[in-house]
Amino acid sequence: MSKKQSRSLSSARNQLRWEGLQRGIYRFRNNALSMVGLAILSLVLVVAIIAPFVVPYPEDATGATHVMERLQPPSKAHFFGTDKVGRDIFSRVLMGTGLALQVGTTIILMAATIGITLGSIAGYFGRRVDDLIMRITDIFLAVPALVLAIAVTAALGKGITNVMIGISLVWWPGFARLTRSLVISLKEEAFVEAANGIGATHFRILFRHILPNAVSPIIVKMSTDFGFAVLTAAALGFIGLGAQPPTPEWGAMINDGRAYFPSEWWVAVFPGLAIFLVVFSWNLLGDGIRDVLDPRSRR
Amino acid sequence: MNLKAGYFIRRVLLLIPLLVGLSILTFSISRVVPGDPVGLAAGPQATPEIKAALRKEFGLDQSLPVQYYKYVSGLFKGDWGQSLYSRRDVADDLRAFFPATLELTLAAVFIAAVLGTILGVFAALYQNRIPDHLSRIIVLFFVSFPQFWLAMIFQLIFGLMLDWFPISKRLDVLTPPPERITGMYTVDSLLRGDLETFGASVKHLFIPALVLSFGALASITRITRANMLEALDKDFVKMERAVGLPEKLVIGKYVLRTVFIATLTVISLEFGWLMAGAVLVETIFDWPGLGLYIVESSLRLDFQPIMGITIIYGIVFSTVNIVTDLLYGLLDPRIRYE
Amino acid sequence: MFYGFKATSRLVLVAIAAVIFFAAPVHASNILLYGGNQDIDNIDPATGENYSINAALRSLYDALFINRGARVEPHLVQSWEASDDSSVWTFKLKSGAVFHDGSPVTADAVVYSFNRILEISGPPSWRWAGIADANTAQALDDHTVRFTLTQPFAPFIGTLPQLFVVNPAVVEANRGDDFGQSYLKGTSAGSGPFTQGRWEIGNLYEFKAAPDYWAGWRNGSHLDGFMWIIQRDAATQKNSLLAGETHIADTIAGSDRDDVEDAAGKVVYINDGSMANTLKMNNQGKYTSDINLRKAVAHAMNYAALPAMQDIPVTVLPGPTAANFIGYVEGLDIPTYDIDKAREYLSKTPWPDGGISLDYVYVTDFPREEVPGLMLLEGLSKINITLNMVPMLWPDMVASCATPETGPDLINIYTLPGYSDPDAHLYNQYHSSQWGSFNSCSFYKNDKVDDLLSRARALPDLDARLALYADAQRQIAADQTSVWMYTEDAMIGMDECVKGYEFSPMYPITVLFQDLYMEGCN
């Protein structure tokens, strides 16, 4: 096989991949639940972007307080009621949307980056490197992510950045394991190509030939993990390790509301529903993406 | 058989480097803490002399490797260190709190397995029809709530409004817990033949366990469905059906067994998730377990308990994985171990 | 076979369901059920000290004196005398006091207990640090003990309710290599009105009335025992109290007060507390060393809104000392909420137009400290100063107060005087020798104040001392070392059937269990 042939083989596979994707999109569009998820999520995204311009009391998310309006029940003036210092919960929940999405995205991207890097190194080079990386991965996987995240974040100190770092640091092993197994199964194939190719570096083989074919399962994992990442971040906020006030962080807002629950139920209920909406829509969407990219999981 | 035994011995031996690694990890985390841990133990009015005395007492004046060595050798002797805040032995605390978490988690796994299997089987039997979609929506729905939030809502509905279940704790305060055997009240009360206490503890356990179980419902349902579809597709099942054996019998006798074995792995994986979820559920229901303990310790930066809890989680998690493998082998003789 | 099994299992299920739904809680008549906000971590008098631990220690042990209401009453002590310079104190003990094992409480036991606290030097020892050493306590005979302090200390009696007497024989038998700490942290060795019952860590603690308690009971009737049930949530506490599952709830949220008061047979007691909240400004800090900036900050706080904003009833502080506490000075010049004045003071600083940012440090997840921060944030934003909310875990806060360099610009600190004397809260907050503890996180240093506070603690005459404390406080207020916020009113919810409750500013959150009794509780 010459270099040319190898390239054409590779492009044939790209062609296949493309057709697969088209089939997938077709299946996805026929999946009503995923479409619902996508619709809700688009709405959430829009809200995240326009919130600062449309909410009735944007200053309530950045430091205003109103003595005379503490703990008002939902009304026309305050759709979701007010909290312990008289802030409009509707405004705060909407203003918090962007933060929640940002936190989820950052965690998944950071965790995936670390995990994919370590996983592909382990899978590609094998032997001692593999052993070492996988033993470290095992250690992280031996403790539930939330427990370790609590410990790491507590040690780093409270704050939303530390929450993101803490969760990412315990989230990568899943990606590492997945990537490793994918790389191992694709490696043999790639080595044949590489052996025939001229001057292909390890780097090139890995990024040009192996990883592109491992993308689907990784995307599936990223999309299904997103909801859990948002929930975990909210959990840390709830415990009291999250964003610093007056940042409208949903987990912390639920925690605030706990002292007033159930007599002033609105303080805790609405941020909880907001979290649910984001996670639920992602889970619907993730379920659809899984069907598309990993058809064996559903027939 | 020998091969099998060898495999498990190797698995168990591999636990050792794992736990050493884990202890190094948690120890490093605990020493990253910027604050002065002694401030915690010394109390509000501490003078520098009091603090110095304490630093010495807790061995914090020694070098890190020495501290680590002492900590690890202590672990083997059952001395898991002392909480800086409460001065209690971490080992004693773990002994008190661990069974509570284990009981909650086991109950949740049980509920999730039952509900998940039922939903999964239904989904598969009515593939791509209404029950299938419905089961999918239900599980995605419940797994999407923040558990601590759902716990509050359930506590409100079933505890306060309907008054069907107690709102918190493992037993009413005036009911003395059964004499300790395992530390799990439901198990101990049964072993002691005390049905009344058993009933009371189940009643306390139910709502927290139900809330917790939702965390594992989605994946158990999904895998049961997939395995079920696969099993239904097997030649021998098709054959049985073709021969005209009653549908119920085919499903009940041949399919469910296979499906359950296949699902076992997922259930055990979920065990870890649920044990972590217990952290949040426990704080709502005042359930005196590891979760409540780690949250309180974290907020105080009391790292001796945090280290102990992580190591316990590590041991349990790894053990569950090994036991699952073992069970899997026993239930499905075709499995071979490398 | 198959159906048989099914039928049996159905029967079992029904039986289980029946057991579950008919297992009703039983109420014992004379056991008080107490919802406590905090765990009782440790019951060693030498290492444990906080409100819940102290409540347990008061119940299990006896001390030389006891805080009852606002008074300090002799307890193990029959009579006493002090030298003119307040440095030698001699106490005659009551005869007839016995430990739970029947052995007498002797002067030797007092000496042993005192020295044990000093030697272990745990949290309770701060009271005697610097005024006592291993030679201080001497037993003159079986029932006479003398304390020769290393320097005169007038408020000595006020510290003695914390000197809980342990049974030396029991401690020695379980001494181990840590002076009995491992043993005593979970097991009592005292002579107090109660003994330990069920002891479920992290869950509940049962105390049983000691049979034939040597000191007798204050009221004709007394409890057969009480249970300290840990209920961390104010909402849980309220619900349990209203449902009749507890008799006392020690933490009631302000927003729940009406619910409890309106409920039949429940009552909420509200008293002026002595738990004081202060925003310490770092007097050595980059910005806050400037007195005009400190005054500007103090004028940007909306004090009048505090009672409405806080979730507990509060009384705004009229200066360093609350109006209900000994040593209060009338007519101090204390700032009010006045943005114009704040701006005026700011114009005298090197940052006349603001544009600076200050850190406000407070305990993570503690709304009562977060809310004042949010209020100050709003006030300061009006004079173009940014307040940066920095929630910290408590140990980190304590650590940040170690040196003026690490001390935050502003930090929210609660203080509770350890005894009923101005010395108890002025010395540790404003004497420069106390730098390093979080009480003195304002890093205030004024030689005149140092001198006044040192002299005052050595004088025997109360009026003369109060005059010195008044002078000191005038100076402290003029220097605006801190922003004095409020004292928390103590709020405790009870079933009306609980009798004998008397509020004490020394333990505002809880009760003196030995004085309580129940009448007509179900």
Side-chain angles (χ1 to χ4, degrees):
Chain A
M1 235 181 344
S2 71
K3 193 177 173 187
K4 207 172 199 174
Q5 274 171 309
S6 129
R7 186 170 291 155
S8 74
L9 205 150
S10 171
S11 76
R13 200 162 52 198
N14 281 342
Q15 179 73 25
L16 268 175
R17 212 186 291 148
W18 174 238
E19 280 167 13
L21 194 64
Q22 280 181 317
R23 265 203 306 278
I25 291 173
Y26 173 76
R27 266 204 307 272
F28 184 80
R29 279 169 50 190
N30 279 338
N31 184 336
L33 287 181
S34 311
M35 290 312 283
V36 172
L38 190 63
I40 303 178
L41 202 64
S42 315
L43 191 72
V44 170
L45 263 175
V46 171
V47 166
I49 294 166
I50 64 170
F53 311 107
V54 298
V55 296
Y57 310 92
E59 70 279 6
D60 284 12
T62 53
T65 58
H66 313 280
V67 187
M68 301 316 290
E69 299 185 28
R70 304 182 70 221
L71 301 172
Q72 303 279 317
S75 66
K76 263 188 195 156
H78 303 286
F79 298 141
F80 293 175
T82 62
D83 70 3
K84 63 183 179 204
V85 285
R87 296 175 297 200
D88 181 50
I89 294 174
F90 179 72
S91 303
R92 285 177 61 77
V93 166
L94 263 55
M95 297 277 282
T97 314
L99 181 69
L101 294 179
Q102 196 190 327
V103 168
T105 314
T106 314
I107 292 171
I108 292 299
L109 287 182
M110 275 165 51
T113 310
I114 305 175
I116 292 171
T117 311
L118 290 178
S120 37
I121 292 175
Y124 186 79
F125 294 104
R127 295 165 193 265
R128 285 218 175 135
V129 184
D130 184 22
D131 264 356
L132 181 71
I133 293 179
M134 287 335 277
R135 287 299 84 80
I136 295 175
T137 311
D138 283 346
I139 292 169
F140 277 88
L141 282 173
V143 183
L146 179 64
V147 173
L148 210 52
I150 290 175
V152 173
T153 313
L156 291 175
K158 186 188 157 107
I160 199 70
T161 317
N162 288 341
V163 164
M164 292 191 284
I165 295 175
I167 299 179
S168 312
L169 281 183
V170 302
W171 210 280
W172 61 266
F175 284 99
R177 237 187 211 184
L178 177 67
T179 312
R180 173 182 175 268
S181 64
L182 291 169
V183 168
I184 287 179
S185 67
L186 291 165
K187 185 166 69 170
E188 295 305 317
E189 216 181 317
F191 264 125
V192 178
E193 275 182 50
N196 293 302
I198 300 163
T201 59
H202 290 311
F203 187 83
R204 192 183 155 79
I205 298 172
L206 200 50
F207 282 88
R208 195 73 191 95
H209 299 288
I210 298 185
L211 282 181
N213 291 296
V215 160
S216 301
I218 292 175
I219 289 185
V220 170
K221 187 167 168 57
M222 285 170 83
S223 66
T224 47
D225 276 11
F226 186 91
F228 288 113
V230 171
L231 285 179
T232 309
L236 291 189
F238 175 73
I239 289 171
L241 294 170
Q244 69 186 70
T247 315
E249 201 257 306
W250 291 343
M253 287 168 75
I254 298 180
N255 188 22
D256 269 358
R258 225 180 132 193
Y260 307 102
F261 193 83
S263 30
E264 286 87 17
W265 51 269
W266 55 88
V267 187
V269 162
F270 290 108
L273 286 178
I275 298 177
F276 166 75
L277 208 61
V278 168
V279 178
F280 187 51
S281 57
W282 258 102
N283 282 348
L284 289 178
L285 191 70
D287 221 40
I289 294 180
R290 183 207 308 272
D291 287 358
V292 172
L293 297 179
D294 184 13
R296 272 166 310 166
S297 76
R298 195 164 186 96
R299 290 175 297 175
Chain B
M1 202 58 212
N2 267 337
L3 214 62
K4 219 180 248 186
Y7 171 78
F8 282 108
I9 289 171
R10 214 170 64 234
R11 286 283 306 263
V12 173
L13 285 180
L14 271 179
L15 268 182
I16 296 169
L18 182 79
L19 291 176
V20 170
L22 192 59
S23 66
I24 294 178
L25 178 70
T26 52
F27 185 82
S28 324
I29 294 174
S30 76
R31 293 309 188 270
V32 183
V33 185
D36 178 11
V38 160
L40 186 67
Q45 321 267 7
T47 60
E49 294 77 40
I50 295 180
K51 285 189 190 168
L54 278 167
R55 198 165 288 122
K56 200 156 182 220
E57 188 189 328
F58 283 100
L60 293 169
D61 53 344
Q62 287 154 329
S63 71
L64 286 183
V66 173
Q67 287 186 38
Y68 176 74
Y69 172 76
K70 287 202 167 161
Y71 179 66
V72 171
S73 50
L75 287 182
F76 286 103
K77 287 180 276 179
D79 171 14
W80 289 49
Q82 224 182 48
S83 151
L84 283 168
Y85 180 84
S86 73
R87 302 287 188 109
R88 287 198 302 240
D89 287 337
V90 173
D92 288 346
D93 284 356
L94 291 177
R95 210 168 292 132
F97 297 140
F98 176 64
T101 298
L102 188 63
E103 181 174 44
L104 181 59
T105 312
L106 286 175
V109 169
F110 177 74
I111 296 175
V114 171
L115 288 182
T117 310
I118 292 173
L119 285 170
V121 166
F122 262 90
L125 288 180
Y126 298 92
Q127 186 188 2
N128 290 334
R129 278 183 279 162
I130 300 285
D132 187 14
H133 299 311
L134 212 58
S135 95
R136 193 175 180 179
I137 298 179
I138 290 175
V139 296
L140 284 181
F141 182 80
F142 280 110
V143 82
S144 300
F145 283 108
Q147 264 181 344
F148 48 94
W149 185 83
L150 205 58
M152 286 163 70
I153 305 287
F154 272 42
Q155 193 182 41
L156 171 68
I157 296 174
F158 297 106
L160 283 173
M161 286 162 65
L162 298 173
D163 200 15
W164 289 353
F165 293 93
I167 51 175
S168 61
K169 302 254 181 213
R170 300 175 72 189
L171 276 179
D172 294 314
V173 289
L174 289 173
T175 317
E179 210 182 313
R180 184 179 171 119
I181 302 170
T182 62
M184 293 187 273
Y185 290 176
T186 44
V187 177
D188 290 358
S189 54
L190 270 190
L191 291 177
R192 302 258 176 217
D194 182 353
L195 275 187
E196 205 171 315
T197 309
F198 173 73
S201 55
V202 170
K203 211 171 158 180
H204 280 77
L205 182 60
F206 184 69
I207 292 294
L210 181 67
V211 173
L212 189 54
S213 74
F214 292 144
L217 207 50
S219 53
I220 294 181
T221 306
R222 186 182 295 134
I223 201 77
T224 306
R225 179 183 178 279
N227 289 333
M228 182 86 182
L229 286 177
E230 199 176 316
L232 287 174
D233 213 27
K234 288 264 163 62
D235 288 343
F236 75 96
V237 174
K238 282 185 181 155
M239 181 97 106
E240 306 273 12
R241 278 172 143 176
V243 170
L245 276 181
E247 185 78 10
K248 265 188 189 167
L249 193 67
V250 178
I251 308 268
K253 197 166 175 187
Y254 299 103
V255 180
L256 278 184
R257 191 181 124 95
T258 334
V259 169
F260 189 71
I261 291 172
T263 310
L264 199 63
T265 329
V266 176
I267 293 178
S268 78
L269 282 179
E270 291 301 322
F271 188 92
W273 264 104
L274 292 189
M275 211 160 143
V279 169
L280 302 168
V281 174
E282 284 177 4
T283 52
I284 304 288
F285 290 99
D286 248 337
W287 192 266
L290 292 181
L292 207 53
Y293 189 40
I294 197 175
V295 170
E296 292 200 328
S297 306
S298 303
L299 291 179
R300 292 171 183 152
L301 285 181
D302 191 356
F303 265 95
Q304 220 65 6
I306 297 179
M307 286 157 71
I309 297 166
T310 6
I311 289 174
I312 279 282
Y313 265 104
I315 293 175
V316 172
F317 210 15
S318 321
T319 314
V320 167
N321 282 342
I322 295 178
V323 170
T324 318
D325 273 7
L326 193 64
L327 276 181
Y328 201 65
L330 289 178
L331 291 175
D332 191 346
R334 286 166 305 169
I335 301 288
R336 292 275 174 273
Y337 298 92
E338 356 160 356
Chain C
M1 254 321 262
F2 188 66
Y3 283 106
F5 169 74
K6 207 168 181 182
T8 331
S9 67
R10 197 173 286 163
L11 256 181
V12 169
L13 280 182
V14 170
I16 289 175
V19 169
I20 294 171
F21 281 91
F22 296 104
V26 265
H27 269 270
S29 57
N30 204 21
I31 306 283
L32 182 120
L33 304 176
Y34 181 96
N37 168 261
Q38 191 168 280
D39 198 349
I40 298 172
D41 296 300
N42 168 1
I43 49 166
D44 183 343
T47 56
E49 175 170 15
N50 61 38
Y51 99 87
S52 52
I53 292 176
N54 281 356
L57 291 176
R58 279 196 300 274
S59 304
L60 299 168
Y61 290 91
D62 290 309
L64 294 189
F65 285 78
I66 188 168
N67 288 308
R68 211 173 232 124
R71 310 171 303 279
V72 187
E73 295 181 357
H75 188 56
L76 281 168
V77 163
Q78 181 83 49
S79 61
W80 71 97
E81 54 190 43
S83 64
D84 283 347
D85 69 345
S86 311
S87 67
V88 182
W89 299 76
T90 312
F91 301 94
K92 194 99 189 139
L93 301 182
K94 284 177 186 162
S95 53
V98 286
F99 288 112
H100 293 144
D101 67 1
S103 59
V105 181
T106 60
D108 281 330
V110 175
V111 174
Y112 181 89
S113 306
F114 187 72
N115 287 339
R116 184 170 175 276
I117 294 175
L118 290 191
E119 184 173 328
I120 292 174
S121 60
S125 66
W126 63 271
R127 294 173 177 74
W128 303 296
I131 59 163
D133 59 24
N135 301 317
T136 293
Q138 303 287 337
L140 300 188
D141 60 46
D142 265 6
H143 287 97
T144 314
V145 59
R146 167 171 293 166
F147 294 83
T148 312
L149 303 177
T150 54
Q151 51 175 293
F153 187 61
F156 185 55
I157 297 236
T159 66
L160 293 179
Q162 199 72 27
L163 175 47
F164 295 104
V165 180
V166 297
N167 187 339
V170 177
V171 180
E172 282 303 309
N174 300 282
R175 188 181 169 103
D177 55 5
D178 60 358
F179 215 149
Q181 288 185 60
S182 302
Y183 179 79
L184 284 187
K185 67 185 162 196
T187 318
S188 64
S191 56
F194 295 92
T195 59
Q196 288 169 273
R198 279 166 58 195
W199 211 253
E200 297 169 24
I201 288 174
N203 187 33
L204 65 84
Y205 303 96
E206 184 188 22
F207 297 77
K208 298 192 220 171
D212 307 320
Y213 176 47
W214 69 267
W217 304 85
R218 177 177 165 87
N219 296 305
S221 184
H222 66 91
L223 302 175
D224 288 341
F226 68 93
M227 286 205 197
W228 183 285
I229 304 156
I230 305 166
Q231 297 182 325
R232 295 166 181 89
D233 265 2
T236 311
Q237 291 216 2
K238 180 197 78 171
N239 293 329
S240 299
L241 180 68
L242 294 189
E245 288 162 9
T246 53
H247 299 107
I248 299 184
D250 73 4
T251 307
I252 299 277
S255 52
D256 287 339
R257 178 179 159 187
D258 292 345
D259 287 0
V260 179
E261 278 179 334
D262 294 347
K266 313 290 173 192
V267 55
V268 178
Y269 294 104
I270 298 179
N271 286 284
D272 288 345
S274 44
M275 181 89 86
N277 183 266
T278 316
L279 307 188
K280 309 261 175 205
M281 295 184 276
N282 186 346
N283 283 232
Q284 314 296 324
K286 182 177 172 195
Y287 302 114
T288 41
S289 52
D290 186 306
I291 184 170
N292 288 307
L293 185 82
R294 294 204 297 271
K295 295 227 181 232
V297 171
H299 280 94
M301 180 73 215
N302 189 352
Y303 303 95
L306 276 168
M309 276 293 218
Q310 286 293 34
D311 204 33
I312 22 123
V314 302
T315 309
V316 176
L317 272 170
T321 305
N324 65 352
F325 199 77
I326 182 167
Y328 159 64
V329 185
E330 256 176 280
L332 287 178
D333 182 22
I334 290 298
T336 51
Y337 181 50
D338 187 337
I339 293 298
D340 290 334
K341 267 203 162 157
R343 210 170 275 131
E344 197 184 311
Y345 279 113
L346 185 65
S347 68
K348 297 180 199 164
T349 69
W351 318 276
D353 303 315
I356 58 172
S357 164
L358 299 175
D359 281 351
Y360 171 82
V361 169
Y362 68 101
V363 178
T364 285
D365 199 22
F366 190 28
R368 286 183 213 170
E369 294 191 358
E370 182 197 331
V371 168
L374 291 171
M375 293 167 69
L376 188 61
L377 183 149
E378 198 180 16
L380 286 177
S381 71
K382 292 176 182 162
I383 56 169
N384 195 25
I385 292 180
T386 312
L387 192 70
N388 185 23
M389 304 278 288
V390 186
M392 275 194 188
L393 299 179
W394 177 241
D396 288 340
M397 280 173 72
V398 174
S400 75
C401 288
T403 65
E405 290 75 39
T406 56
D409 300 323
L410 286 136
I411 186 168
N412 187 314
I413 295 286
Y414 270 98
T415 49
L416 179 67
Y419 40 90
S420 194
D421 192 279
D423 179 78
H425 72 110
L426 293 179
Y427 192 80
N428 61 13
Q429 293 189 80
Y430 307 107
H431 195 285
S432 64
S433 69
Q434 301 294 301
W435 285 17
S437 120
F438 71 83
N439 282 315
S440 52
C441 208
S442 48
F443 298 101
Y444 177 57
K445 183 168 172 55
N446 181 307
D447 294 339
K448 183 179 151 202
V449 172
D450 279 355
D451 176 57
L452 286 167
L453 293 178
S454 299
R455 267 164 50 211
R457 69 178 353 206
L459 285 181
D461 179 57
L462 187 61
D463 286 335
R465 297 179 61 220
L466 289 179
L468 297 187
Y469 285 124
D471 278 354
Q473 290 184 68
R474 277 186 205 100
Q475 185 63 45
I476 293 166
D479 287 339
Q480 195 72 55
T481 65
S482 317
V483 184
W484 292 286
M485 302 285 281
Y486 55 81
T487 46
E488 277 189 8
D489 297 350
M491 188 156 66
I492 190 163
M494 284 190 203
D495 201 304
E496 277 176 349
C497 70
V498 177
K499 310 286 183 195
Y501 169 67
E502 184 184 3
F503 170 76
S504 170
M506 292 290 86
Y507 38 91
I509 312 173
T510 182
V511 298
L512 190 59
F513 287 99
Q514 65 210 68
D515 286 358
L516 297 185
Y517 58 100
M518 306 206 289
E519 236 171 48
C521 293
N522 46 5

